[in-house]
Amino acid sequence: MTPPASIDPQALPLRDIHLPDPVSWWPPALGWWLVVVLVLLLVVAVAWWWRRWLGGRYRRLALRELERLGQLPLSEQPAALSLLLRQAALCHFPRPECAGLYGEAWLEFLDRPFKDQPFSQGVGRCLLDAPYRPGSLVDSHELLSLCRRWLKRLPLSKGKRVSP
């Protein structure tokens, strides 16, 4: 056998080790895109919930006041309920739409969310004259229930404070 030929390392076409280019930050991986979308959805959901919660604050306050009015003597309840409904209407509807209403027009305004017209043809009719007749008989439980139903059907306010 013949001895192996010696290989001259200088004659070989070898190059030095090259490292790959560093990983670019753009474009991000699919997981980061999902994280960004989820964070944006969370921000939108929280903003929507916050506006809805703030929009219902007058309704919640009115319902709390209604519970307090249920403890009043029966002779004082109709006047106090009428005042509460008017204040709630002024907070949730444009002032020209409800501020000057009285009598039958006021009861028709209160009947808007209902099909059976409980204010103009039902127990709510007592709001017309019961505040001025101290000894009148009023079904307090049914009237409070009707006022609660009306307050729960109020639209959400737009977050603006209505000036007096």
Side-chain angles (χ1 to χ4, degrees), residues 54-96:
L54 284 179
R57 71 178 169 230
Y58 293 127
R59 180 188 308 155
R60 286 189 304 276
L61 288 172
L63 287 169
R64 216 174 295 142
E65 179 68 11
L66 181 69
E67 295 304 318
R68 189 189 70 76
L69 294 180
Q71 308 302 320
L72 289 177
L74 294 179
S75 61
E76 297 176 17
Q77 277 186 2
L81 289 173
S82 183
L83 180 63
L84 175 67
L85 294 179
R86 188 164 298 274
Q87 289 172 342
L90 288 173
C91 285
H92 288 84
F93 296 101
R95 185 170 285 276

Side-chain angles (χ1 to χ4, degrees), residues 4 16 32 61 63 65 67 80 90 106 108 123 129 139-140 144 153 155 157:
D16 199 8
W32 288 111
L61 288 172
L63 287 169
E65 179 68 11
E67 295 304 318
L90 288 173
W106 173 241
E108 288 173 10
V123 69
D129 57 358
D139 185 359
S140 174
L144 286 169
R153 291 186 182 198
S157 61

Side-chain angles (χ1 to χ4, degrees), residues 2-157:
T2 61
S6 70
I7 300 176
D8 182 21
Q10 299 296 338
L12 292 174
L14 297 176
R15 292 187 238 167
D16 199 8
I17 297 175
H18 293 284
L19 295 175
D21 291 334
V23 177
S24 172
W25 64 274
W26 192 259
L30 180 62
W32 288 111
W33 285 109
L34 291 175
V35 167
V36 167
V37 168
L38 289 175
V39 166
L40 288 176
L41 286 175
L42 181 67
V43 166
V44 168
V46 166
W48 174 81
W49 177 82
W50 182 253
R51 287 185 53 85
R52 186 164 174 81
W53 186 78
L54 284 179
R57 71 178 169 230
Y58 293 127
R59 180 188 308 155
R60 286 189 304 276
L61 288 172
L63 287 169
R64 216 174 295 142
E65 179 68 11
L66 181 69
E67 295 304 318
R68 189 189 70 76
L69 294 180
Q71 308 302 320
L72 289 177
L74 294 179
S75 61
E76 297 176 17
Q77 277 186 2
L81 289 173
S82 183
L83 180 63
L84 175 67
L85 294 179
R86 188 164 298 274
Q87 289 172 342
L90 288 173
C91 285
H92 288 84
F93 296 101
R95 185 170 285 276
E97 190 175 329
C98 62
L101 298 177
Y102 61 93
E104 293 293 330
W106 173 241
L107 293 181
E108 288 173 10
F109 175 81
L110 292 174
D111 278 336
R112 283 185 189 174
F114 305 109
K115 292 180 182 173
D116 58 344
Q117 299 179 332
F119 282 99
S120 59
Q121 296 178 4
V123 69
R125 187 148 188 83
C126 72
L127 293 178
L128 280 183
D129 57 358
Y132 309 108
R133 290 189 305 155
S136 63
L137 294 176
V138 176
D139 185 359
S140 174
H141 180 68
E142 195 173 338
L143 184 59
L144 286 169
S145 174
L146 175 62
C147 292
R148 185 176 299 108
R149 280 179 41 212
W150 188 82
L151 289 171
K152 286 183 177 180
R153 291 186 182 198
L154 284 174
L156 292 177
S157 61

